Amino acid sequence: MKFEDIKGFAFDLDGVIADSARLHSKAWHQTADTVGTTWTPELAENLKGVSRMDSLEMILKAGGHENEYTQAQKEELATAKNTQYLELVKTLTPDDVLPGMKAFLDELKANGYKMSVASASKNAPTILKQLKVMDYFEGIVDPAKLHAGKPDPEIFSLAADVLGLAPANVAGLEDSGAGIQSINAAGELSIGIGSELSEAAVRFDRTDEVSLAAIKAKLA
Ligand code: BG6
Ligand code: MG
């Protein structure tokens, strides 16, 4: 995609705008301890971008516990994780917008780009309000309405719809491999933040490296 084709941006939230990926990890680590699955950096990385119930299934499977819980017990485990996560979320303030992202949102707004949120998290509205960045966005895709989560393209396709733009005019920002696959499958420009994201069309190591000029330079 050419830089000039980009008319709007679809943002992942956890790990892209909000410093909240570490809070999800902290809460899931506790779940892993509860069910007896060893917590590893690889498991933590693979859970990024994955929905709540799918994350639980991955944690159970990683320890070989996938057949030990009823659906009702799984729902209890997921609810307990979310309760703990929301306790941690209460500590978030506007200072927990990741480095450089407030400046990037301001730059996009000043330059007339439209923005939407494509997060798998049902807690996205709560977090956006707490960080005081809700007003930047035309809308948020409701993950409860998805037929399939990331890496399926549905969420990023809907994020383009929210912007009233064709996928070919949208760039998506992600910190997860599942998210980058979703953006690519939706036919949008994938911008990855993180060293592991080899499938991203454009990649940065850290959020504070992201700017319009930097994206333009990488596409040239
Ligand atoms: C994603 C996170 O944004 O949202 C995942 O990267 C998380 O770690 C997923 O599991 C679902 O979030 P929630 O808040 O609905 O449990
Ligand atoms: Mg993320």
Side-chain angles (χ1 to χ4, degrees):
M1 196 191 281
K2 294 200 300 288
F3 178 78
E4 289 69 29
D5 292 336
I6 305 173
K7 306 275 181 260
F9 287 80
F11 283 81
D12 174 44
L13 176 64
D14 298 308
V16 170
I17 296 172
D19 187 10
S20 48
R22 65 193 167 87
L23 305 184
H24 277 294
S25 279
K26 199 170 177 184
W28 281 131
H29 188 162
Q30 191 141 317
T31 308
D33 289 349
T34 303
V35 302
T37 291
T38 307
W39 186 253
T40 62
E42 194 195 356
L43 178 57
E45 189 62 35
N46 290 340
L47 293 178
K48 284 185 185 169
V50 176
S51 75
R52 197 179 305 167
M53 285 315 280
D54 287 351
S55 296
L56 175 63
E57 293 291 352
M58 283 170 71
I59 290 168
L60 291 173
K61 207 159 181 227
H65 305 296
E66 64 269 37
N67 298 321
E68 295 169 17
Y69 295 85
T70 63
Q71 190 55 32
Q73 286 171 322
K74 286 179 188 173
E75 267 150 35
E76 260 175 54
L77 285 166
T79 301
K81 181 269 177 177
N82 195 50
T83 304
Q84 204 216 336
Y85 176 65
L86 286 175
E87 276 305 309
L88 298 169
V89 160
K90 278 186 195 161
T91 65
L92 293 178
T93 71
D95 287 340
D96 293 297
V97 173
L98 282 162
M101 283 322 252
K102 185 73 169 42
F104 184 53
L105 294 173
D106 283 326
E107 185 185 27
L108 295 183
K109 191 175 165 188
N111 285 279
Y113 290 93
K114 291 187 186 176
M115 297 170 246
S116 63
V117 175
S119 170
S121 175
K122 293 178 177 159
N123 298 305
T126 306
I127 292 176
L128 290 166
K129 274 183 216 141
Q130 214 155 319
L131 299 182
K132 299 204 193 305
V133 293
M134 186 69 113
D135 292 349
Y136 287 95
F137 302 99
E138 308 281 320
I140 302 169
V141 177
D142 180 358
K145 297 199 175 128
L146 297 176
H147 300 94
K150 301 170 188 178
D152 188 277
E154 188 178 15
I155 189 166
F156 275 97
S157 298
L158 291 173
D161 292 347
V162 166
L163 298 172
L165 293 172
N169 299 118
V170 174
L173 283 100
E174 261 291 347
D175 70 321
S176 73
I180 292 295
Q181 288 174 20
S182 173
I183 298 168
N184 288 341
E188 300 168 7
L189 177 78
S190 55
I191 301 175
I193 302 165
S195 52
E196 311 286 303
L197 304 171
S198 55
E199 292 175 62
V202 169
R203 207 191 53 73
F204 295 97
D205 285 332
R206 300 186 317 271
T207 50
D208 61 2
E209 295 171 350
V210 183
S211 68
L212 285 171
I215 294 167
K216 190 174 185 178
K218 286 194 188 261
L219 284 174

